[in-house]
Amino acid sequence: MPFDNSLETVSMESQSVQLVLVFALVFLVYAAPSAAEEPVLEDIRLVDGSQPYEGRVELLVNGTWGTICDSHWGDEDAQVVCRQLGYDPFGATAYTSAFFQQGTGPVYLTNMGCAGTERSILECPTSKPFRQTGCSHNRDAGVSCISECFCARLQA
């Protein structure tokens, strides 16, 4: 009687299909971007200043507060933050080197390049947004906005 290996072939094909499905699932979970991973700026605030219009700049991204690195941080960047928070952007002053103390959480942005006219910090050129910046909290950026204006608080 000849040997029937059809069951063995079906079993091997089934294992191959299972293996392909496992690799596809691993790829989808770890390599493919998902909507949940996309950074969403939910809020912006100033922390640890002596007045409500000054402090360390903090961003709420996907439910976690973090900071901005002071690399290339200047008055133009401060103007954008002040405008976004509803303060007068003219006369805004940028502070570096964790002038308003060190923050916690991720450092979300670095190498800012705002022109000073943008309505949101997210409109400014930056390198490595929402990725590893290589910057530590001893370089957290801060601002001082001189006075409130009649600007409506702008959301990103």
Side-chain angles (χ1 to χ4, degrees):
M1 179 191 270
F3 179 75
D4 182 11
N5 66 356
S6 61
L7 288 176
E8 186 177 317
T9 303
V10 169
S11 176
M12 288 179 68
E13 287 176 2
S14 175
Q15 288 176 346
S16 295
V17 168
Q18 287 175 346
L19 189 59
V20 167
L21 289 174
V22 167
F23 282 127
L25 181 60
V26 167
F27 174 78
L28 288 173
V29 169
Y30 292 104
S34 71
E37 295 173 350
E38 291 297 315
V40 175
L41 178 62
E42 300 168 22
D43 204 359
I44 184 170
R45 67 183 181 185
L46 302 179
V47 179
D48 289 332
S50 61
Q51 301 295 326
Y53 53 82
E54 65 180 17
R56 179 181 59 255
V57 181
E58 291 193 347
L59 307 173
L60 182 62
V61 177
N62 295 353
T64 302
W65 287 102
T67 62
I68 298 176
C69 185
D70 68 3
S71 212
H72 300 139
W73 186 252
D75 290 343
E76 294 83 4
D77 307 297
Q79 289 172 1
V80 175
V81 169
C82 292
R83 180 180 293 108
Q84 188 170 354
L85 288 169
Y87 294 108
D88 188 345
F90 302 102
T93 304
Y95 289 89
T96 59
S97 303
F99 183 86
F100 295 103
Q101 301 179 27
Q102 294 184 24
T104 60
V107 179
Y108 287 123
L109 302 174
T110 189
N111 297 325
M112 300 304 298
C114 298
T117 57
E118 297 88 349
R119 295 170 46 96
S120 166
I121 197 74
L122 294 184
E123 294 176 10
C124 299
T126 181
S127 67
K128 301 180 183 179
F130 308 107
R131 293 183 178 86
Q132 282 290 1
T133 63
C135 192
S136 61
H137 287 294
N138 64 346
R139 298 189 57 202
D140 283 343
V143 301
S144 177
C145 308
I146 58 170
S147 63
E148 291 189 45
C149 72
F150 295 106
C151 309
R153 180 154 187 220
L154 304 172
Q155 294 296 323

